[in-house]
Amino acid sequence: GENVEQHPSTLSVQEGDSAVIKCTYSDSASNYFPWYKQELGKRPQLIIDIRSNVGEKKDQRIAVTLNKTAKHFSLHITETQPEDSAVYFCAADRMDSSYKLIFGSGTRLLVRP
Amino acid sequence: NAGVTQTPKFQVLKTGQSMTLQCAQDMNHEYMSWYRQDPGMGLRLIHYSVGAGITDQGEVPNGYNVSRSTTEDFPLRLLSAAPSQTSVYFCASRSSGAYEQYFGPGTRLTVT
């Protein structure tokens, strides 16, 4: 079945450094790749997404890149701040009537002041 | 709009008991789904629905039933609770014509 692998499981960076989280997916029909941030005890919140017809998308300090040939996509956070500390999840979906948004296992990001 | 709502927020069950987790959305979204999130893990898809009267299995459907009699509601039934079903359950919805998925606040379930 569909599978999304995410690495690393934990990531610790110094405030101001960059953080990169990588995901690979198995279903070649996937064409939508969102990233979610989840703070402790809260619901996942969408922070950025990318569609398969785009290679890169940026929104202020966060960016996502997609390599459809290799079936992997990455989240880049620049100039990290302590409030970026959270668990980040990648996901993949075909965006057809099957409606199966499959999540990676998550990355716990700690930004040290 | 209230968005996606879930009840209860917390629940403790004994092994073998049954219960229904409620999920409702007021955004007229066709698509709804249920996920479970175990400690330190990602969200795993239990069941989903692409419209009233249509449901299908996700990654981990065993031990759970769903039905979708209205567009607004998508209840999740635990038939005979087991300790392995201790988890946080999230309901989500999205419009068939849009990309963003909206999550409910979650239900924390403990089975003893």
Side-chain angles (χ1 to χ4, degrees), chain A residues 32 38 43 97-99 101, chain B residues 33 35 37 48 50 101 103:
Chain A
Y32 174 64
Q38 187 179 33
R43 74 191 83 185
S97 60
S98 67
Y99 181 42
L101 184 64
Chain B
S33 56
Y35 292 87
Q37 183 175 32
Y48 64 96
V50 297
Q101 176 149 257
F103 283 89

Side-chain angles (χ1 to χ4, degrees), chain B residues 8 11-14 16-22 34 36 46-47 61-66 75-87 89 107 109-111:
Chain B
Q11 183 70 50
V12 179
L13 290 178
K14 294 190 188 307
Q17 288 184 316
S18 62
M19 80 158 294
T20 299
L21 307 186
Q22 302 291 344
W34 277 101
R36 61 176 287 173
I46 304 171
H47 285 286
N62 291 344
Y64 307 94
N65 272 358
V66 292
L76 178 73
R77 296 185 194 83
L78 280 70
L79 309 173
S80 177
S84 61
Q85 294 178 304
T86 293
S87 191
Y89 291 84
T107 294
L109 176 69
T110 302
V111 183

Side-chain angles (χ1 to χ4, degrees), chain B residues 14-32:
Chain B
K14 294 190 188 307
T15 297
Q17 288 184 316
S18 62
M19 80 158 294
T20 299
L21 307 186
Q22 302 291 344
C23 174
Q25 50 90 13
D26 61 358
M27 298 173 282
N28 204 32
H29 286 171
E30 298 89 342
Y31 294 178
M32 296 185 75

Side-chain angles (χ1 to χ4, degrees), chain A residues 53-66:
Chain A
N53 58 348
V54 175
E56 182 175 358
K57 182 178 178 181
K58 292 182 77 169
D59 183 3
Q60 298 183 354
R61 295 186 298 107
I62 59 175
V64 57
T65 58
L66 171 64

Side-chain angles (χ1 to χ4, degrees), chain A residues 21-105:
Chain A
I21 302 170
K22 299 183 178 182
C23 290
T24 59
Y25 60 96
S26 62
D27 185 358
S28 56
S30 296
N31 57 14
Y32 174 64
F33 307 93
W35 286 88
Y36 290 84
K37 177 182 181 182
Q38 187 179 33
E39 296 175 337
L40 192 63
K42 301 284 185 64
R43 74 191 83 185
Q45 297 277 5
L46 179 70
I47 55 171
I48 195 168
D49 57 16
I50 191 167
R51 301 168 200 178
S52 61
N53 58 348
V54 175
E56 182 175 358
K57 182 178 178 181
K58 292 182 77 169
D59 183 3
Q60 298 183 354
R61 295 186 298 107
I62 59 175
V64 57
T65 58
L66 171 64
N67 182 328
K68 281 221 78 176
T69 303
K71 292 195 283 188
H72 65 70
F73 56 114
S74 301
L75 177 72
H76 304 253
I77 306 174
T78 59
E79 300 171 25
T80 52
Q81 301 166 2
E83 52 265 38
D84 294 329
S85 296
V87 180
Y88 292 80
F89 294 98
C90 62
D93 197 345
R94 291 183 170 193
M95 294 304 290
D96 59 14
S97 60
S98 67
Y99 181 42
K100 281 187 177 180
L101 184 64
I102 304 299
F103 283 80
S105 55

Side-chain angles (χ1 to χ4, degrees), chain A residues 2-3 100-103, chain B residues 35 43-47 57-61:
Chain A
E2 302 90 339
N3 186 47
K100 281 187 177 180
L101 184 64
I102 304 299
F103 283 80
Chain B
Y35 292 87
L43 289 86
R44 292 185 290 170
L45 182 64
I46 304 171
H47 285 286
Q57 297 181 351
E59 303 169 272
V60 287

